[in-house]
């Protein structure tokens, strides 16, 4: 009888001990990150993208209404985030949501215009009006190529490749290292003399209507997809332009949405360019690109506060406007710092950890009473619009938040 009792005790206690060891061995930080990815991806899937698959963009918190703001690039970033969430968690619901958004994005292809066939109807829809914007396309394409990689469905790469081909043939001045910003959606004419982004500027030159426009590394993705050298050459030409036009702060103050006159720095624009330079370094091994990206990373480390916050508007003289909190910049800078660390530059490890804690902590609760906010990363913007204060939480905080958490998870936990 005593022997039987001992066996029973062993049968009960051994699994319990094993379970306890398993729980103890599970890294609590890893669990927090995966939980944050899932909660934020659930928000993107269920609240942030609408029934058609389009990202709703800006949520006006005083009105309780969503407003469109460059939907193609906001939706493309949502697709990118959902693909990353699917890759980390293997939850099929995230890939299904990404497909829905990818289908909405690809349906924007223009197929019946005498001049614009093959281009994407990527209109700005905010202060720049109805013009089609180069970066509204390219900022979104990275997500579409990631969706192609996840699904194997060629349309998710074919449509952005056709749009990129149209832009290369009609908007790019590679000898000058820039591409025009805007196209009239009615006439199909590229705007080469005046930009709606500078409505009060009478005398506009080339750099007012064109930029290096390397956001999203579109031509690199086109090269990887098609293996056509013309796209690789275009990507490298724009990267060379970025190296040449970067200032001592590691920024590109000559180009909007930076403002050289008042010294204000856009919270993501420069990070996009630096990200493309890291892509160029990965492609070529040219350390000039790595160093240029490091300079940008250093400036953004200076923008980050002691609790990890990065505000929407910083100035080259050290001033900060604290009325808007930019969670997407916290995350995007974190992605840049992590990628530099992977290349042996560990100057920004403290900043990376600040970004991690900030993203983990600064999300609306999943049981928040407003479902339009529940689970979202904080990304506020306060403007004066329509004769009143215009306070929104922007969708891109959540998209970039998931992207950052996925990269962090990869590097720290070896997924």
């Amino acid at each position: 009888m005593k022997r039987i009792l001992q066996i029973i005790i062993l049968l009960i206690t051994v699994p319990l001990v094993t379970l306890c060891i398993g729980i103890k061995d599970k890294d609590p930080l890893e669990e927090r990150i995966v939980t944050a990815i899932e909660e934020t991806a659930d928000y993107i899937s269920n609240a942030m993208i609408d029934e058609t698959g389009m990202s709703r963009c800006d949520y006006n918190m005083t009105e309780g209404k969503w407003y469109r703001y460059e939907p193609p690039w906001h939706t493309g970033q949502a697709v990118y985030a959902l693909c990353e969430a699917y890759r980390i968690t293997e939850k099929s619901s995230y890939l299904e949501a990404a497909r829905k958004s990818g289908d909405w994005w690809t349906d924007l292809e223009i197929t019946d215009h005498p001049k614009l066939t093959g281009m994407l109807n990527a209109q700005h829809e905010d202060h720049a009006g109805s013009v089609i914007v180069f970066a509204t396309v390219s900022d979104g394409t990275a997500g579409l190529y990631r969706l192609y990689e996840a699904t194997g469905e060629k349309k998710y790469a074919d449509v952005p490749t056709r749009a990129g081909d149209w832009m290369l043939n009609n908007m790019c001045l590679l000898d000058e290292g820039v591409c025009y910003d805007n196209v009239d959606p009615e006439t199909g004419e590229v705007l080469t003399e005046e930009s709606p982004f500078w409505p009060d500027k009478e005398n506009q030159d080339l750099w007012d209507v064109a930029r290096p426009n390397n956001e999203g590394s579109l031509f690199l993705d086109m090269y990887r997809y098609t293996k056509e050298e013309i796209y690789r050459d275009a990507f490298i030409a724009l990267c060379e332009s970025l190296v040449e036009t970067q200032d001592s702060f590691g920024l590109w103050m000559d180009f909007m949405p930076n403002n050289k006159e008042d010294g204000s720095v856009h919270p993501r624009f420069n990070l996009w360019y630096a990200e493309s330079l890291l892509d160029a370094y990965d492609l070529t091994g040219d350390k000039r690109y790595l160093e240029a990206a490091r300079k940008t990373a250093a400036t953004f480390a200076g923008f980050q506060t002691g609790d990890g916050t990065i505000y929407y508007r910083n100035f080259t003289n050290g001033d900060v406007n604290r009325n808007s909190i930019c969670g997407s910049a916290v995350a995007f800078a974190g992605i840049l710092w992590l990628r530099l660390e992977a290349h042996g530059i560990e100057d920004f490890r403290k900043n990376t950890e600040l970004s991690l804690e900030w993203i983990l902590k600064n999300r609306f609760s999943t049981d928040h009473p407003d479902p339009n906010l529940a689970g979202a990363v904080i990304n506020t913007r306060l403007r004066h619009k329509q004769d009143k204060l215009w306070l929104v939480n922007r969708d891109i905080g959540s998209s970039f938040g998931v992207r950052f958490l996925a990269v962090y998870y990869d590097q720290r936990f070896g997924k």
Side-chain angles (χ1 to χ4, degrees):
M1 187 65 179
K2 183 177 179 181
R3 179 60 177 166
I4 293 172
L5 286 172
Q6 287 175 334
I7 293 172
I8 293 172
I9 290 170
L10 282 172
L11 289 172
I12 295 172
T13 57
V14 169
L16 287 174
V17 170
T18 303
L19 178 61
C20 290
I21 290 172
I23 293 172
K24 185 177 180 181
D25 288 345
K26 187 73 171 178
D27 191 308
L29 179 58
E30 180 180 357
E31 289 190 31
R32 288 179 69 199
I33 291 170
V34 172
T35 297
I37 289 173
E38 291 176 342
E39 289 177 350
T40 312
D42 287 342
Y43 167 76
I44 294 171
S45 302
N46 301 321
M48 203 178 91
I49 59 175
D50 68 13
E51 63 279 359
T52 69
M54 182 193 77
S55 184
R56 291 185 168 99
C57 303
D58 286 2
Y59 180 65
N60 188 309
M61 293 186 286
T62 58
E63 295 183 344
K65 295 180 181 178
W66 289 91
Y67 288 86
R68 293 160 70 106
Y69 190 113
E70 296 188 87
W73 89 253
H74 283 242
T75 303
Q77 287 296 327
V79 170
Y80 200 146
L82 289 167
C83 288
E84 287 289 85
Y86 169 68
R87 183 176 62 81
I88 297 296
T89 69
E90 298 182 347
K91 286 192 173 182
S92 61
S93 61
Y94 300 147
L95 189 60
E96 291 167 9
R99 281 180 183 271
K100 182 169 74 170
S101 292
D103 291 342
W104 176 88
W105 200 98
T106 54
D107 283 346
L108 295 178
E109 183 177 22
I110 299 170
T111 59
D112 56 358
H113 191 285
K115 288 188 177 180
L116 288 171
T117 295
M119 183 51 165
L120 203 77
N121 190 20
Q123 297 184 26
H124 190 277
E125 300 193 36
D126 194 72
H127 59 279
S130 61
V131 292
I132 297 173
V133 181
F134 190 111
T136 305
V137 179
S138 63
D139 284 355
T141 55
L144 272 295
Y145 285 102
R146 303 296 87 74
L147 183 57
Y148 160 69
E149 292 167 2
T151 64
E153 287 193 40
K154 295 188 68 175
K155 75 171 181 177
Y156 298 131
D158 285 341
V159 172
T161 297
R162 284 193 289 268
D165 202 50
W166 193 97
M167 293 191 294
L168 180 60
N169 291 326
N170 294 276
M171 301 180 76
C172 292
L173 304 173
L174 294 182
D175 288 342
E176 302 286 344
V178 294
C179 303
Y180 288 113
D181 289 314
N182 304 305
V183 180
D184 185 316
E186 297 297 327
T187 66
E189 295 296 326
V190 177
L191 305 187
T192 62
E193 295 183 358
E194 291 186 349
S195 169
F197 290 105
W198 301 110
D200 301 322
K201 190 171 184 177
E202 292 185 9
N203 299 314
Q204 299 185 23
D205 59 24
L206 179 62
W207 283 8
D208 293 314
V209 297
R211 306 178 298 172
N213 272 319
N214 218 23
E215 295 96 322
S217 298
L218 169 58
F219 294 129
L220 176 60
D221 276 328
M222 291 168 65
Y223 166 66
R224 286 172 171 160
Y225 178 59
T226 67
K227 304 298 187 293
E228 294 187 22
E229 291 291 329
I230 188 174
Y231 303 135
R232 184 186 190 279
D233 293 343
F235 174 68
I236 293 300
L238 295 179
C239 288
E240 285 296 306
S241 178
L242 291 178
V243 172
E244 293 168 6
T245 55
Q246 187 184 51
D247 66 17
S248 60
F249 295 101
L251 305 172
W252 290 270
M253 295 303 296
D254 289 308
F255 304 108
M256 67 90 187
N258 292 333
N259 190 316
K260 195 171 186 177
E261 288 188 9
D262 67 12
S264 61
V265 180
H266 188 272
R268 289 175 308 275
F269 169 64
N270 305 276
L271 295 171
W272 261 303
Y273 281 2
E275 182 184 44
S276 74
L277 288 167
L278 283 181
D279 290 339
Y281 175 69
D282 290 341
L283 179 68
T284 67
D286 189 330
K287 290 191 176 180
R288 293 178 304 128
Y289 302 141
L290 183 66
E291 173 56 21
R294 188 203 62 77
K295 286 168 64 178
T296 309
T299 290
F300 274 80
F303 291 157
Q304 190 177 42
T305 68
D307 68 356
T309 303
I310 296 178
Y311 292 97
Y312 183 86
R313 194 170 298 280
N314 295 272
F315 295 82
T316 53
N317 67 0
D319 291 343
V320 183
N321 184 332
R322 292 180 171 82
N323 69 8
S324 299
I325 297 167
C326 198
S328 56
V330 174
F332 200 3
I335 292 170
L336 189 65
W337 294 325
L338 281 166
R339 289 188 61 181
L340 286 166
E341 183 183 316
H343 289 303
I345 298 174
E346 298 193 359
D347 307 33
F348 311 112
R349 193 176 181 99
K350 178 180 177 181
N351 300 97
T352 302
E353 300 306 319
L354 285 173
S355 285
L356 176 68
E357 283 301 314
W358 197 98
I359 295 295
L360 290 175
K361 291 177 180 177
N362 288 285
R363 294 177 293 121
F364 289 93
S365 170
T366 54
D367 59 2
H368 192 282
D370 188 341
N372 296 291
L373 295 172
V377 172
I378 295 173
N379 197 114
T380 62
R381 187 165 181 210
L382 179 66
R383 294 189 289 169
H384 289 270
K385 185 177 177 181
Q386 299 180 5
D387 298 320
K388 64 179 181 180
L389 288 176
W390 194 266
L391 178 62
V392 301
N393 195 68
R394 310 195 76 197
D395 58 344
I396 47 178
S398 298
S399 295
F400 279 96
V402 169
R403 284 184 54 192
F404 165 69
L405 292 172
V407 177
Y408 188 98
Y409 184 85
D410 286 341
Q411 282 191 212
R412 296 293 189 264
F413 300 104
K415 172 91 174 181

